[in-house]
Amino acid sequence: MNPVNLKLLAQKLNLSIATVSRALQDSHEVSMQTKERVKALAAELNYQPNAYASSLRRNVSKTIGVVIPEVNNHFFSLAINGIEEVARQQGYHVLIYLTHDDHDREADITQYLTGGRVDGLLLSVAASASQDFSHLQKLYDSKPAIVFFDRVYEELPTASVTTNDYESGYLATRHLIEAGCRHIAHLLVSGNLSIGRMRMQGYRAALESHGLTFDETLVVNGNDNDEANTQLITDLLRQRPELDGIFASVERLAISSYQACHALGRAIPTDIKVVGFSNLGVAALLNPALTTITQPAYEIGREAATILLRAIEKKLPILPSQSVVLNSTLFPRRSTARG
Amino acid sequence: MNPVNLKLLAQKLNLSIATVSRALQDSHEVSMQTKERVKALAAELNYQPNAYASSLRRNVSKTIGVVIPEVNNHFFSLAINGIEEVARQQGYHVLIYLTHDDHDREADITQYLTGGRVDGLLLSVAASASQDFSHLQKLYDSKPAIVFFDRVYEELPTASVTTNDYESGYLATRHLIEAGCRHIAHLLVSGNLSIGRMRMQGYRAALESHGLTFDETLVVNGNDNDEANTQLITDLLRQRPELDGIFASVERLAISSYQACHALGRAIPTDIKVVGFSNLGVAALLNPALTTITQPAYEIGREAATILLRAIEKKLPILPSQSVVLNSTLFPRRSTARG
DNA sequence: TTTATCTACGTAAACGTTTCCAGCACACAG
DNA sequence: CTGTGTGCTGGAAACGTTTACGTAGATAAA
């Protein structure tokens, strides 16, 4: 494509390719004089090193992969912001792959990535129904550096960046109980991931420590289809008229809950109260303002990328002990106001 | 890293590297027998070709770059969804770069990308104050395939995917006028891009064709800092108490308008009406529900990626005539209701 | 003087592919 | 028997870097 390469520079300068290469890397083995000559010409001809040749030779790509369920979700888009920020600072490129919470897509993608295309990987596991994580095991065996964030597959001995999901689940549920709820549904998408289990345990513990009984039929699994979710919630609301609280474990389910309530004419917070995990910037502007558990998404992205890039640069393995747990924050708003 | 390469396969099979390579590509020059032997072993050893070696040799990277202002914005995240979708279908990888609407970052990034790292580029130009587009010119000269989407730099003779911005600006403004507004502010971020100019012209034309005079001081430029924008709008509202309509040319400014109105106690839509470009899924759930002009973001992404990949695959240049204009839709909601 | 050290550069191998150019064996036509 | 094709395979060059190694000349140490 662009025929400006080391060979061309070397010819024009009557130097060897080796010297030109070294000059551009500020090697001490090259005299100041030649360095300047080389750099001047390189700048003039707008020389850009061929990334692939360099990656091939050095076995280092200066590229990280980010594998996430979706990007149209404030949590993940904020996380990407954080990731891109630190990657750019350190001269890394960011490849994005979306799984749409589909197991097979995730397997395909991770399969791709065993080929050395990336130096490291940030992964937030798909919340599919499948219990099969062999693709992640395979990926791990091909040993790129991996850091999980938010949605972790715990069996791999690597680091992860998560939030205090158990406490958050507990807090959200207690908040509803204290607002007067007695029949609280729990909506989630990632029941078979640790994140889902933790939030669930928090929910359950809060119920039980307040003398409420845990009812399995009030736990509903959604997916990534908003209409289907809204329908699911509508059905639930109809079948269980005693329901007076909803704890949505993920943003889209909180939104669907609003939609279902609007459709059925259930007033929030009078008839039913809603709290949801969400990074929606406009939560406070909703009708009514949505009480949220908000994760520090941007910081999670930064933190995960930092751990990953540090390990790559120092060529050290990533240990589970480097894991970080950040705290989410509960923002009480109208949707859970008393009376 | 992973030492499973063609050489290893060749050794184990007592074949030459050339034959193994050809077998894996289903070349007709290899007997069925050997093909199967090769593929079996490759699968068994989990062979993944080295992407960099391949890219180097073929001068093709199967990677496209996406350069956008931000990802934490529904328009762009939906667009990325569309882009990733078609890229994945065709076996392409997607590199993401965020400019944060900063001219210098954009210049840095495009500089990077002249190095042949990507086969093509999808670009939505940063809405900075700068009038300097020499970095884009330079990028173009290094001839990767480029398709602009939404925010176009018109001077480059390549294709773009946009929406009917003039009509949308006209429609939004007329909608406000018909709802009774007489003093309408226009908030925008991209005054020096064609997209900004088009929307502005639509705004102006609607005013004038309805006997209202265009007032330059009602046109306000925001940036990517939400607090600053809210402050800006608050100031405007205070200084111009006669204001009864806001046309926000970009999602974040509509949100900031809500915040400013809430803070000042101006009731929407009674005191002031708001319409905004937005892909916010929860627009209908806002308080009050926000009237939006919604761009077909997902389709824009798909369309842009399709044009780009077709050109790359066929090795044809991209012509301005391949440009596509899609239609946005006005969704009237409470925020512009009469009375 | 010789020997060691240092500076500044060149030669060439290597990274893992792809692909051009053979070559060989065999078949078949003239 | 010669020529021509065809089916399969291997050797080796090439892509653009980086880098181990070598070397020539200069300077310093012995």
Side-chain angles (χ1 to χ4, degrees):
Chain A
M1 189 86 53
N2 196 342
V4 183
N5 51 26
L6 290 183
K7 189 150 111 189
L8 183 76
L9 293 182
Q11 279 171 3
K12 294 218 180 206
L13 292 165
N14 260 324
L15 288 171
S16 75
I17 294 179
T19 304
V20 175
S21 172
R22 280 187 282 242
L24 292 172
Q25 302 175 67
D26 257 332
S27 161
H28 59 275
E29 306 187 61
V30 175
S31 73
M32 284 296 277
Q33 251 194 356
T34 24
K35 268 191 206 174
E36 307 213 329
R37 280 209 309 146
V38 171
K39 289 183 179 175
L41 186 66
E44 183 191 334
L45 300 186
N46 207 352
Y47 166 74
Q48 282 294 122
N50 181 304
Y52 296 109
S54 173
S55 293
L56 175 60
R57 177 56 222 247
R58 306 175 90 145
N59 202 20
V60 152
S61 65
K62 283 271 174 185
T63 303
I64 61 173
V66 177
V67 181
I68 55 177
E70 46 176 355
V71 65
N72 184 31
N73 164 315
H74 282 76
F75 174 78
F76 288 114
S77 51
L78 283 170
I80 291 178
N81 254 329
I83 292 166
E84 210 264 357
E85 182 77 24
V86 339
R88 225 192 71 88
Q89 269 170 21
Q90 308 208 26
Y92 276 74
H93 300 251
V94 179
L95 280 167
I96 296 263
Y97 301 90
L98 307 179
T99 64
H100 296 279
D101 275 328
D102 182 281
H103 173 270
D104 294 349
R105 281 213 204 192
E106 187 173 88
D108 271 13
I109 292 165
T110 51
Q111 174 73 14
Y112 269 159
L113 294 177
T114 56
R117 187 181 280 269
V118 297
D119 296 338
L121 218 45
L122 295 174
L123 211 51
S124 203
V125 183
S128 74
S130 168
Q131 292 284 358
D132 171 27
F133 296 108
S134 58
H135 60 295
L136 296 180
Q137 197 66 53
K138 230 187 223 169
L139 174 65
Y140 182 77
D141 293 343
S142 86
K143 354 193 162 300
I146 300 180
V147 173
F148 286 102
F149 69 101
D150 200 47
R151 305 215 202 148
V152 178
Y153 173 54
E154 289 169 302
E155 304 302 314
L156 298 186
T158 184
S160 61
V161 178
T162 52
T163 49
N164 55 343
D165 289 299
Y166 174 83
E167 288 80 1
S168 300
Y170 188 93
L171 224 68
T173 312
R174 193 182 68 185
H175 180 72
L176 286 172
I177 296 171
E178 288 174 348
C181 300
R182 288 298 169 266
H183 305 279
I184 302 172
H186 180 30
L187 313 180
L188 75 171
V189 296
S190 44
N192 60 340
L193 293 180
S194 75
I195 186 175
R197 286 196 301 272
M198 298 307 277
R199 291 178 185 181
M200 173 73 117
Q201 282 170 26
Y203 160 75
R204 191 166 176 164
L207 289 182
E208 289 168 355
S209 75
H210 288 78
L212 299 177
T213 56
F214 169 73
D215 178 353
E216 239 183 297
T217 64
L218 290 184
V219 175
V220 175
N221 269 281
N223 53 38
D224 85 327
N225 180 334
D226 286 328
E227 286 94 49
N229 291 335
T230 304
Q231 190 54 49
L232 214 64
I233 300 168
T234 308
D235 293 347
L236 180 71
L237 285 172
R238 261 204 272 259
Q239 285 161 25
R240 308 296 295 261
E242 77 274 21
L243 224 62
D244 55 6
I246 292 180
F247 166 35
S249 195
V250 59
E251 186 170 287
R252 58 178 350 123
L253 290 173
I255 307 302
S256 283
S257 298
Y258 265 50
Q259 257 139 6
C261 289
H262 281 224
L264 290 178
R266 302 280 177 98
I268 308 174
T270 328
D271 301 339
I272 189 164
K273 305 189 201 305
V274 179
V275 53
F277 270 86
S278 168
N279 284 82
L280 207 51
V282 294
L285 297 177
L286 291 182
N287 181 25
L290 172 66
T291 295
T292 59
I293 308 264
T294 298
Q295 298 176 275
Y298 179 79
E299 285 74 20
I300 291 176
R302 285 192 61 92
E303 195 63 49
T306 304
I307 294 174
L308 182 67
L309 293 188
R310 188 177 305 143
I312 292 173
E313 291 283 320
K314 307 205 166 178
K315 296 181 195 301
L316 292 175
I318 300 180
L319 304 172
S321 60
Q322 294 175 262
S323 295
V324 171
V325 178
L326 301 174
N327 287 333
S328 298
T329 316
L330 174 71
F331 291 101
R333 300 203 179 87
R334 282 272 314 149
S335 73
T336 55
R338 280 199 86 101
Chain B
M1 190 84 54
N2 198 342
V4 183
N5 51 26
L6 291 183
K7 190 150 111 192
L8 183 76
L9 293 182
Q11 278 172 3
K12 294 216 180 207
L13 293 166
N14 261 323
L15 288 171
S16 74
I17 294 180
T19 303
V20 176
S21 173
R22 280 187 281 242
L24 291 171
Q25 303 175 67
D26 257 331
S27 162
H28 59 274
E29 310 187 61
V30 176
S31 73
M32 282 298 276
Q33 249 194 358
T34 24
K35 266 191 205 175
E36 307 212 330
R37 282 209 309 146
V38 171
K39 288 184 179 175
L41 186 66
E44 183 192 332
L45 300 186
N46 208 350
Y47 166 73
Q48 282 295 123
N50 182 303
Y52 296 109
S54 172
S55 294
L56 175 60
R57 177 56 223 247
R58 307 175 89 146
N59 202 22
V60 151
S61 67
K62 284 268 172 188
T63 304
I64 61 173
V66 177
V67 181
I68 54 177
E70 47 176 353
V71 64
N72 185 33
N73 165 314
H74 282 78
F75 174 77
F76 288 113
S77 50
L78 283 171
I80 290 178
N81 253 330
I83 292 167
E84 209 264 355
E85 184 75 23
V86 337
R88 224 192 71 88
Q89 268 170 21
Q90 309 209 25
Y92 277 74
H93 300 251
V94 179
L95 281 166
I96 295 265
Y97 301 90
L98 307 179
T99 63
H100 296 280
D101 276 326
D102 183 280
H103 172 271
D104 294 349
R105 282 213 204 192
E106 187 172 270
D108 271 14
I109 292 165
T110 51
Q111 174 73 14
Y112 269 158
L113 294 178
T114 56
R117 186 180 280 268
V118 296
D119 296 337
L121 219 46
L122 295 174
L123 211 51
S124 201
V125 182
S128 72
S130 168
Q131 292 285 357
D132 171 27
F133 296 107
S134 59
H135 61 295
L136 295 180
Q137 196 65 54
K138 231 189 225 169
L139 173 65
Y140 183 77
D141 293 343
S142 86
K143 3 191 158 296
I146 300 180
V147 173
F148 287 103
F149 68 101
D150 200 48
R151 306 216 202 146
V152 177
Y153 172 54
E154 289 169 302
E155 303 302 314
L156 298 187
T158 184
S160 60
V161 178
T162 52
T163 48
N164 54 342
D165 289 299
Y166 173 84
E167 288 81 1
S168 299
Y170 187 94
L171 224 67
T173 312
R174 193 183 67 185
H175 180 71
L176 286 171
I177 296 171
E178 289 173 348
C181 300
R182 288 298 169 266
H183 304 279
I184 302 172
H186 180 29
L187 313 181
L188 76 171
V189 296
S190 45
N192 59 340
L193 293 179
S194 74
I195 185 174
R197 285 197 300 271
M198 297 307 277
R199 292 178 184 181
M200 174 74 117
Q201 283 169 25
Y203 159 76
R204 192 165 174 163
L207 290 182
E208 290 169 354
S209 75
H210 287 77
L212 299 177
T213 56
F214 170 72
D215 179 351
E216 240 183 296
T217 64
L218 290 184
V219 175
V220 176
N221 269 281
N223 52 38
D224 86 327
N225 179 335
D226 286 327
E227 286 94 49
N229 290 336
T230 305
Q231 191 54 50
L232 214 63
I233 299 169
T234 309
D235 293 349
L236 179 70
L237 285 172
R238 261 204 272 261
Q239 286 161 26
R240 308 297 295 260
E242 76 275 20
L243 225 62
D244 54 7
I246 292 181
F247 167 35
S249 195
V250 60
E251 186 170 288
R252 58 180 349 123
L253 290 173
I255 307 301
S256 284
S257 298
Y258 265 50
Q259 257 139 6
C261 288
H262 281 224
L264 290 178
R266 302 278 177 100
I268 307 174
T270 328
D271 301 340
I272 188 164
K273 304 189 201 307
V274 179
V275 54
F277 271 86
S278 168
N279 285 81
L280 207 52
V282 296
L285 298 177
L286 290 183
N287 181 23
L290 172 66
T291 294
T292 59
I293 308 264
T294 299
Q295 299 176 276
Y298 179 79
E299 286 74 20
I300 291 176
R302 283 193 62 91
E303 196 62 47
T306 304
I307 296 174
L308 181 67
L309 293 187
R310 188 177 306 144
I312 292 173
E313 292 283 322
K314 307 205 166 179
K315 296 182 192 305
L316 291 175
I318 300 180
L319 303 174
S321 60
Q322 294 176 262
S323 294
V324 171
V325 178
L326 302 173
N327 286 333
S328 299
T329 316
L330 173 70
F331 291 102
R333 300 203 180 87
R334 282 273 313 149
S335 72
T336 54
R338 280 201 86 101

